Amino acid sequence: MGIAAIAGRSFKVFGFPALIVMLSMLLFGRAFCGHICPMGATVDFIDKGVAKRPGTFSARTKTVRFVFLAALVVSAVFGMNFSYGLSPLSLSTRFYGLVILPMAALISGLALDVFRPLARMLGWQSAVFAQVATPVFPTQLFLVAFFAGLVFLARFRTRFFCRFLCPAGALFSIFARKPLLSRRIADSCTGCGKCARACPMAAIPVKEPSKTLYYDCILCGKCEKLCPTNAVSFGFKAGEKKSAEPENPSRRRILAVAVAGTAAAVLPAVSNSEAGAPGASHIPVRPPGSVPEDEFLARCARCGLCMAACSTNTLRPLWLEAGVAGLFSPGLNTKIARCDPKCTRCGHACPTGAIRPLSNEERPWVKIGTAKITKENCLAWAGKKACMTCDEVCPYDAIKFFHPKGHPIAVPRVKSSSCAGCGACESACPVKTTPAIRVTSEDAVRLSSGSYKEVARDRGYDLDLAWQNRKKENPDAMTVDGIAPGFDP
């Protein structure tokens, strides 16, 4: 959140929650890492299955996480948010939303297929016809490979990600050097070292188990449970609080971290393609309610919650279609399915404000792009075949037919002022390999604030879905230009 606050210059939105988390480090140490962080819980689950020894590496190994932190801070200062790469919250929500949730849907569907014959015998019609859709996302294999890598690394050290890779953990360790809530040792400690050998964060020196590296202690309580003399406790109570000497990095290491972090931040920015750079001519079709592109890229945490909430599975993570800066950001693939003009799920699921939550009244008026017809691929234009599929499915009545001079049948065109870019036409186009009609982000309306309905009307857009009701009441009044294909003039 802090990186997003810096990158997006949105301190009112992100700054306060980030400040709360930082203050909690002063009071409770890294209890957030041990008891709240979903990534920490995931790593603990992995460790239970494969980890063999807590162990430790040299202090230089821990420096890696500070390099990642420095890279994120430098990039955020220049308005670019790369925290999605190793942010524990983004990684965990993306993993559970885009991998675990589809797996659960797949298993549920298979279980339903097994149960269906019995349901048919019992006459449970709702179960007989029930279906469980399994969403598929382009980056699922990458996420599976990433977490498989964590499983592999867990064989060498417990909490490997938290100790050596997590930039949030690096930041927390700076604020949690002397927390009020901490591990305390009674005089009954025999110095057996059992706690030090079991600590998953290696926060207890093996040679001095009565001491604690508070900046690495996540207050998991494992040492308290294992202590044979009950000498370990956690609390606020006054008394002697023994701590190991804080790790004081040398100037050379601080300089190395700053240089490496700056390089890590600058290289992706330099290599970023024009497609995703701020102000680029080509921008992917973004979810309805997305703020302007620069602000969107800075705010979006790539958590995947909007994609998991998408009712049609048309919202998907992008690879490099929007450049390095847009990696894993959500974009619409309207070739697969349309974006329901009455659906507001993605905006309400977004935790960072990159996608604004929309009301039911505002949602139909959001223009996310414009459909374009490729005449060479169109059955009516190039094939001279009767086809009006795009017109039949368009919820905005933006497809109009007319008779070009010398052409045997009526052909479609898009009335751009009535097209919201929902993609119903593209997903239904019978030309599947390269659809004859495709949605681009051209003329998309993206606002940081204000009413989409008012802006659309000011620009002359007719995106009122009420035309469908008028058509039902008076079908003759809603005629298309020219004669539909297949009908004689």
Side-chain angles (χ1 to χ4, degrees), residues 277-294:
S281 57
H282 173 70
I283 294 176
V285 181
R286 295 296 190 186
S290 296
V291 296
E293 186 68 6
D294 293 357

Side-chain angles (χ1 to χ4, degrees), residues 116 132 157 159 277 280 283 308-309 406 412 479:
R116 209 180 304 278
V132 180
R157 294 293 183 270
R159 284 248 175 185
I283 294 176
T479 57

Side-chain angles (χ1 to χ4, degrees), residues 241-260:
K241 188 169 63 172
K242 298 179 180 179
S243 172
E245 288 297 325
E247 181 185 353
N248 294 315
S250 64
R251 293 179 181 178
R252 180 178 298 179
R253 190 186 303 176
I254 294 176
L255 180 61
V257 167
V259 172

